[in-house]
Amino acid sequence: MPQTTSWTSKHLLDLESLTAEQIAFVLDTADTFAEVSTRSVKKVPALRGKVVVNAFFEDSTRTRTSFALAASRLSADVIDFSEKGSSVSKGETLIDTARNIEAMGIDAIIIRHQAAGSAALLARTVKCSVINAGDGAHEHPTQGLLDLYTIRKRFGRVEGLKVAIVGDIANSRVARSDLWGLTRLGAEVILVGPPTLLPRAFERLATGPGRVRVVHDFDAVCGEVDVINMLRVQNERMKSAQFPTVREFTRWFGLTWDRFQRCKPDVFVMHPGPMNRGVEIHNEIADGPNSGILKQVEYGLAVRMAVLYLTMQAE
Amino acid sequence: MPQTTSWTSKHLLDLESLTAEQIAFVLDTADTFAEVSTRSVKKVPALRGKVVVNAFFEDSTRTRTSFALAASRLSADVIDFSEKGSSVSKGETLIDTARNIEAMGIDAIIIRHQAAGSAALLARTVKCSVINAGDGAHEHPTQGLLDLYTIRKRFGRVEGLKVAIVGDIANSRVARSDLWGLTRLGAEVILVGPPTLLPRAFERLATGPGRVRVVHDFDAVCGEVDVINMLRVQNERMKSAQFPTVREFTRWFGLTWDRFQRCKPDVFVMHPGPMNRGVEIHNEIADGPNSGILKQVEYGLAVRMAVLYLTMQAE
Amino acid sequence: MPQTTSWTSKHLLDLESLTAEQIAFVLDTADTFAEVSTRSVKKVPALRGKVVVNAFFEDSTRTRTSFALAASRLSADVIDFSEKGSSVSKGETLIDTARNIEAMGIDAIIIRHQAAGSAALLARTVKCSVINAGDGAHEHPTQGLLDLYTIRKRFGRVEGLKVAIVGDIANSRVARSDLWGLTRLGAEVILVGPPTLLPRAFERLATGPGRVRVVHDFDAVCGEVDVINMLRVQNERMKSAQFPTVREFTRWFGLTWDRFQRCKPDVFVMHPGPMNRGVEIHNEIADGPNSGILKQVEYGLAVRMAVLYLTMQAE
């Protein structure tokens, strides 16, 4: 079992407020848990008798299932709390729902919610652990951590790498969590997207030591980056006035086969999923040797085990 | 493990048919289980290898989750059976569904259904345990038991207390279960609500030794009661012709701050949840020192553990 | 634990491709697991630490719950993957979803999907076990196996029996799986239905040694068969032009009380469920001594335990 002396928070709400040491500590802890997933019996008794609630108020495959599996591998019990079968549809406030769940002796609430700040709101309200699984366009910290973990596994380090994040930056919680985590660990982040979806003010978000560049021309930077993280184009966003047509988007900001040829030969391609193949990413790149997409999913499990373990051990 | 000599029924369908001794025995059993929820490892092996089906045909947070957690703490496996993913949407009768579930070797069915009598119908049909988690406007016996348990914890007794139940009495299964349980244990029940939602005939429902009063003026009795149980105002009901406007309802039957000042200083305030804050109950009362609302949720788990344990041990 | 020397496939996709020996081996394995369901503690540690995903893209009670219980009795963890809460509603392809689930270290995917061939498609894509729980009108192999198991339990054999399958044959995956399984084990299959729902070409589907007859007159054969398997009349099908009216269907192809009187006294009546009582089957026959319908459900659990165990042990 890993030492937990470097982690003292009961919650994981964002990456913005974490130090480089705290982030590295979570990734190191994930390393010790990654081994569990390779065993025939994929279980450790670390959280036996603990109860984790998966409270998802938005659709999700990866994240919900990944957390459920992570909790289960730590021998915790997982209760699923879906919006439809819940009192939230009776008009109960999120806080009342959370307090009630907590009164049942739950040890951790994993929450995904459309409102930015909802996880932090819960953390101020309940005494159990709160883990943010995505709150509006604010943050998705476990995605940020698993992206960092995947990059560190590939390159042995994060510091000094150039990482492009491409797409609808302004509305992406993944982009925000990645940006905080990557700059804190010393990577350079290049944000790429159309001006309507990527205000220049994003450059000021860097928290150092890494810096942030805002670029509206993918071709101008694609040849210099070590990592390309393609964000998902969201159907519901495509109808908005700020969004180019799908064809235009693919032409200027998609990772097309043609553009891929102008990248470094060992460029590492990531995507938080689910992918729109042929829109933001070319089919053969997604499935090819440069792709780390399924590794992200695999490592996500170890990272979430680490997050559950660390937050639930904290006093 | 508690002795089960005083409990012989495989089902819990209502409180109307239970004796004072049987009710007290469930509450005593809940006392022994309440301790489990305070442990670090919240599990006992009492129902290991048993399977419980949570068959909810109406929305629910508390009750469904509470039963799932209760079963899980007793080490039973819980299978969730939601209307949407089920053959009930293919037009299968409830009885056929239940028989099929039972044929898979299930040990208990927890059912919530819009039809009064549905739990009793199942109990006549299947051989496994049936636990009523709310059937139409008939009964919600585990809510009644947890209300009794919460009152007994607060006052050390139920006998001799004056308990007001306030709101849409005629359509409330909680009111009915509370009424049977409270009168049987010797409390006086004062039903409070507008005449359209509270026929005077309810006075005849008392089963003794406690008696029942029907009152249409909350102010006339609020100063004399030890416990106020505010029922939820249901949105779907508010549109009906018998229901006053929300503002009128709050004025005459809500637990407003003004009215609360005229109650006994140590009045114990309960609510089955989910609350409409500002409608039937004032915000600060709900969260204040007189409120037992989160205790109801907490104790509900112990009570449901007791109910599952006792019914599933019965031959 | 049973020997697994006669089973080498990681998947169960259909019965068409199985030999008589392979089918018999699954049924024999089910015999050893049937005993587990009669124990007080209904668990064996055979698949402890393994994770099974129940991926159902169509409504189901029996099959989904039956698989969940079967996995649980083998001590596997079961993750539920319903269409609604998943990325499939975000437009992700089935293959991407499956690859992502697999990247989380899942050991088996149980899939029900409206597209014929979907299970086989997955099996070519992922490295974990794939079990077909119904793919369009193609096959439903575990239903076929449990039908065979139920018949073998009743008669001690399958060979030489005459089995009528009655109803909307052309659109039934149950009929197809039964047909392959029954003929391979040497039963004679008589397909009964209106010409619009039962092309004569079905006679050529027999795989021997049993043969297949296509008959459009139920009365002409009802007296000679040992088993009648009544297919479910599907509401959505009833509106189609090829389908007779409900009244006509019942008159010509329903197992009415009158028709039942002209069957063998010990005719064995089966139905995959959920039943339309009064449409394809008379109430009293469904619940009477000739009915094997609840036995099918009961035995289905043992058969699915066998299938999960055998496929997940295969290298």
Side-chain angles (χ1 to χ4, degrees):
Chain A
M1 246 2 80
Q3 294 285 325
T4 59
T5 44
S6 299
W7 186 271
T8 56
S9 171
K10 290 170 63 175
H11 312 299
L12 176 70
L13 305 177
D14 55 51
L15 294 193
E16 184 179 4
S17 64
L18 297 192
T19 64
E21 290 67 35
Q22 286 171 320
I23 291 172
F25 188 74
V26 179
L27 304 188
D28 293 345
T29 308
D31 268 336
T32 73
F33 283 124
E35 181 267 327
V36 174
S37 296
T38 65
R39 297 184 196 170
S40 170
V41 173
K42 304 185 189 72
K43 287 248 186 197
V44 288
L47 296 180
R48 206 171 72 78
K50 305 288 185 194
V51 183
V52 172
V53 166
N54 236 343
F56 276 65
F57 299 92
E58 287 184 355
D59 278 0
S60 167
T61 305
R62 271 173 204 64
T63 314
R64 189 174 57 85
T65 307
S66 179
F67 270 114
L69 285 168
S72 169
R73 278 186 197 175
L74 296 166
S75 302
D77 288 321
V78 186
I79 298 280
D80 211 42
F81 180 97
S82 65
E83 191 178 15
K84 164 112 191 75
S86 86
S87 284
V88 174
S89 58
K90 290 184 188 167
E92 193 180 38
T93 70
L94 183 61
I95 287 180
D96 273 337
T97 298
R99 277 186 184 146
N100 274 284
I101 291 176
E102 187 189 33
M104 294 177 199
I106 264 64
D107 300 286
I109 299 178
I110 299 161
I111 180 169
R112 166 166 292 191
H113 195 280
Q114 56 276 14
S118 48
L121 179 68
L122 279 203
R124 287 194 299 272
T125 310
V126 297
K127 283 181 289 287
C128 68
S129 288
V130 174
I131 291 154
N132 182 5
D135 61 329
H138 174 234
E139 282 226 33
H140 187 357
T142 59
Q143 180 73 42
L145 289 168
L146 75 88
D147 286 347
L148 291 170
Y149 187 83
T150 308
I151 291 170
R152 199 174 82 162
K153 282 290 248 188
R154 175 75 166 212
F155 294 94
R157 65 188 165 98
V158 174
E159 198 175 352
L161 295 176
K162 283 193 186 183
V163 181
I165 306 176
V166 186
D168 181 1
I169 307 289
N171 296 288
S172 171
R173 55 193 174 210
V174 174
R176 270 180 189 67
S177 287
D178 278 353
L179 186 150
W180 300 122
L182 286 163
T183 53
R184 209 138 264 158
L185 295 196
E188 178 180 346
V189 176
I190 306 173
L191 301 174
V192 183
T196 48
L197 304 177
L198 176 52
R200 194 150 289 281
F202 268 74
E203 291 195 344
R204 277 176 272 143
L205 291 181
T207 51
R211 68 187 195 98
V212 177
R213 271 199 281 163
V214 163
V215 166
H216 302 303
D217 180 357
F218 195 2
D219 289 316
V221 295
C222 72
E224 65 178 276
V225 296
D226 305 294
V227 179
I228 298 176
N229 191 5
M230 298 303 302
L231 300 178
R232 170 180 171 74
V233 170
Q234 297 187 37
N235 291 332
E236 53 278 24
R237 298 278 313 151
M238 279 195 252
K239 285 154 205 153
S240 87
Q242 306 145 292
F243 210 91
T245 65
V246 172
R247 177 182 289 207
E248 269 187 322
F249 184 87
T250 303
R251 180 166 173 204
W252 295 110
F253 299 102
L255 188 55
T256 59
W257 188 252
D258 180 61
R259 187 165 281 124
F260 178 62
Q261 302 307 316
R262 284 174 274 127
C263 295
K264 287 188 178 179
D266 64 343
V267 66
F268 191 48
V269 177
M270 299 170 74
H271 190 295
M275 289 183 276
N276 296 296
R277 290 168 175 268
V279 179
E280 71 263 14
I281 189 164
H282 187 275
N283 236 340
E284 289 178 47
I285 305 170
D287 301 332
N290 294 67
S291 170
I293 296 171
L294 291 178
K295 282 293 175 193
Q296 289 174 272
V297 178
E298 179 188 332
Y299 295 151
L301 211 56
V303 167
R304 291 188 174 110
M305 287 173 79
V307 168
L308 286 169
Y309 177 75
L310 292 173
T311 53
M312 291 172 73
Q313 296 292 320
E315 289 306 306
Chain B
M1 247 1 79
Q3 294 285 326
T4 58
T5 44
S6 298
W7 186 271
T8 55
S9 172
K10 291 170 63 176
H11 312 299
L12 176 69
L13 305 176
D14 56 51
L15 294 192
E16 184 180 3
S17 64
L18 297 192
T19 65
E21 290 68 34
Q22 286 172 319
I23 292 173
F25 188 74
V26 179
L27 304 188
D28 294 345
T29 307
D31 268 335
T32 73
F33 283 124
E35 181 267 327
V36 174
S37 295
T38 66
R39 297 183 195 169
S40 168
V41 173
K42 304 185 188 71
K43 286 248 186 196
V44 288
L47 297 181
R48 205 172 72 79
K50 304 289 185 192
V51 183
V52 172
V53 166
N54 236 343
F56 275 64
F57 299 92
E58 287 183 356
D59 279 0
S60 167
T61 305
R62 270 171 203 66
T63 312
R64 189 175 56 84
T65 308
S66 179
F67 270 114
L69 285 168
S72 169
R73 279 187 196 173
L74 297 166
S75 302
D77 289 321
V78 186
I79 299 281
D80 211 42
F81 180 99
S82 65
E83 191 177 17
K84 165 109 192 72
S86 85
S87 284
V88 173
S89 58
K90 290 184 187 168
E92 192 179 39
T93 69
L94 183 61
I95 287 180
D96 273 337
T97 299
R99 277 187 184 144
N100 275 283
I101 291 176
E102 187 189 33
M104 294 177 199
I106 263 65
D107 299 286
I109 300 177
I110 299 161
I111 179 168
R112 166 167 292 191
H113 195 280
Q114 56 275 15
S118 48
L121 180 68
L122 280 203
R124 287 194 299 272
T125 310
V126 298
K127 283 181 288 287
C128 68
S129 287
V130 174
I131 292 155
N132 183 6
D135 62 329
H138 174 234
E139 282 226 34
H140 187 357
T142 59
Q143 179 74 42
L145 289 168
L146 75 89
D147 287 347
L148 292 169
Y149 187 83
T150 307
I151 291 170
R152 200 174 80 162
K153 282 290 247 189
R154 175 76 166 213
F155 294 94
R157 66 189 163 96
V158 174
E159 197 174 355
L161 295 175
K162 281 193 188 183
V163 181
I165 306 175
V166 186
D168 182 1
I169 307 289
N171 296 289
S172 171
R173 54 192 174 209
V174 175
R176 270 180 189 68
S177 287
D178 278 354
L179 186 150
W180 301 121
L182 286 163
T183 54
R184 209 139 264 157
L185 295 195
E188 177 179 345
V189 175
I190 306 175
L191 301 173
V192 183
T196 48
L197 304 176
L198 176 52
R200 196 150 285 283
F202 269 74
E203 291 196 343
R204 277 176 270 144
L205 291 181
T207 50
R211 69 187 194 99
V212 177
R213 272 198 280 162
V214 162
V215 167
H216 302 304
D217 181 357
F218 194 1
D219 289 317
V221 295
C222 72
E224 66 177 275
V225 296
D226 304 294
V227 179
I228 298 176
N229 191 5
M230 297 302 303
L231 299 178
R232 170 180 172 72
V233 170
Q234 298 187 35
N235 291 332
E236 54 278 22
R237 298 279 312 152
M238 280 195 251
K239 285 154 205 153
S240 88
Q242 306 145 290
F243 208 92
T245 65
V246 171
R247 177 181 288 205
E248 268 187 323
F249 184 88
T250 303
R251 181 165 172 204
W252 295 109
F253 298 101
L255 188 55
T256 60
W257 187 252
D258 180 62
R259 188 165 280 125
F260 178 61
Q261 301 307 315
R262 284 175 274 127
C263 295
K264 288 188 180 180
D266 64 342
V267 66
F268 191 47
V269 176
M270 300 170 75
H271 190 297
M275 290 183 277
N276 295 296
R277 290 168 176 269
V279 179
E280 72 263 13
I281 189 164
H282 187 274
N283 237 340
E284 290 179 45
I285 304 170
D287 301 332
N290 294 67
S291 169
I293 295 171
L294 291 178
K295 282 292 174 193
Q296 290 174 272
V297 178
E298 178 187 335
Y299 295 151
L301 211 56
V303 166
R304 291 188 173 110
M305 288 173 79
V307 167
L308 286 169
Y309 177 75
L310 293 173
T311 53
M312 291 172 72
Q313 296 292 319
E315 289 307 307
Chain C
M1 241 9 74
Q3 294 285 326
T4 59
T5 43
S6 299
W7 186 270
T8 55
S9 171
K10 291 170 63 177
H11 312 299
L12 176 69
L13 305 176
D14 57 50
L15 294 193
E16 184 179 3
S17 64
L18 297 192
T19 65
E21 289 67 35
Q22 287 171 318
I23 292 173
F25 186 74
V26 179
L27 304 188
D28 293 346
T29 307
D31 268 335
T32 73
F33 283 124
E35 181 267 328
V36 174
S37 295
T38 66
R39 297 183 195 170
S40 170
V41 173
K42 304 186 188 72
K43 287 248 185 197
V44 287
L47 297 181
R48 205 171 73 79
K50 305 289 185 192
V51 183
V52 172
V53 167
N54 234 344
F56 275 65
F57 299 92
E58 287 184 355
D59 279 0
S60 166
T61 304
R62 268 171 205 66
T63 313
R64 189 175 56 85
T65 308
S66 180
F67 269 114
L69 285 168
S72 169
R73 279 187 196 172
L74 296 165
S75 302
D77 288 321
V78 186
I79 299 280
D80 212 42
F81 180 99
S82 65
E83 189 178 16
K84 164 112 191 72
S86 87
S87 284
V88 174
S89 58
K90 291 186 189 166
E92 192 179 40
T93 69
L94 182 62
I95 287 179
D96 274 337
T97 298
R99 276 187 185 146
N100 275 283
I101 291 177
E102 186 189 34
M104 294 177 197
I106 263 63
D107 300 285
I109 299 178
I110 299 161
I111 180 169
R112 166 167 293 191
H113 195 280
Q114 56 276 14
S118 48
L121 179 68
L122 280 203
R124 286 194 299 272
T125 309
V126 297
K127 282 182 288 290
C128 67
S129 288
V130 174
I131 292 154
N132 182 6
D135 62 328
H138 175 234
E139 282 226 34
H140 187 357
T142 58
Q143 180 73 42
L145 289 168
L146 75 87
D147 286 346
L148 291 170
Y149 187 83
T150 308
I151 291 171
R152 199 174 80 162
K153 281 291 246 188
R154 175 76 166 212
F155 294 95
R157 65 189 165 97
V158 174
E159 196 176 355
L161 295 176
K162 282 192 187 184
V163 181
I165 306 176
V166 186
D168 181 0
I169 307 289
N171 296 289
S172 171
R173 54 193 175 208
V174 174
R176 269 180 190 66
S177 287
D178 278 353
L179 186 149
W180 301 121
L182 286 163
T183 53
R184 209 138 263 156
L185 295 195
E188 177 179 346
V189 175
I190 306 174
L191 300 174
V192 183
T196 49
L197 304 176
L198 176 51
R200 194 150 289 280
F202 268 74
E203 291 196 343
R204 277 177 271 144
L205 291 180
T207 51
R211 70 188 193 97
V212 178
R213 271 199 281 162
V214 163
V215 167
H216 302 303
D217 180 357
F218 195 0
D219 289 316
V221 295
C222 71
E224 66 178 274
V225 296
D226 304 294
V227 179
I228 298 177
N229 191 5
M230 298 302 303
L231 299 178
R232 171 178 172 74
V233 170
Q234 297 188 36
N235 292 331
E236 54 277 24
R237 297 279 312 152
M238 280 194 252
K239 284 153 204 153
S240 87
Q242 306 145 292
F243 210 91
T245 65
V246 171
R247 177 181 288 205
E248 269 187 322
F249 184 87
T250 302
R251 179 166 173 203
W252 295 110
F253 299 102
L255 189 54
T256 59
W257 187 253
D258 180 61
R259 189 165 279 124
F260 178 60
Q261 301 308 315
R262 283 175 274 127
C263 295
K264 288 187 178 180
D266 64 343
V267 66
F268 191 48
V269 177
M270 299 170 75
H271 191 295
M275 290 183 276
N276 296 296
R277 289 167 176 270
V279 179
E280 72 262 14
I281 190 165
H282 187 274
N283 237 341
E284 290 179 44
I285 304 170
D287 301 332
N290 293 67
S291 169
I293 295 170
L294 290 178
K295 282 293 175 193
Q296 290 174 273
V297 178
E298 179 188 333
Y299 295 150
L301 211 57
V303 166
R304 291 188 173 110
M305 288 173 79
V307 167
L308 285 169
Y309 176 76
L310 292 174
T311 53
M312 291 172 73
Q313 296 292 319
E315 289 306 306

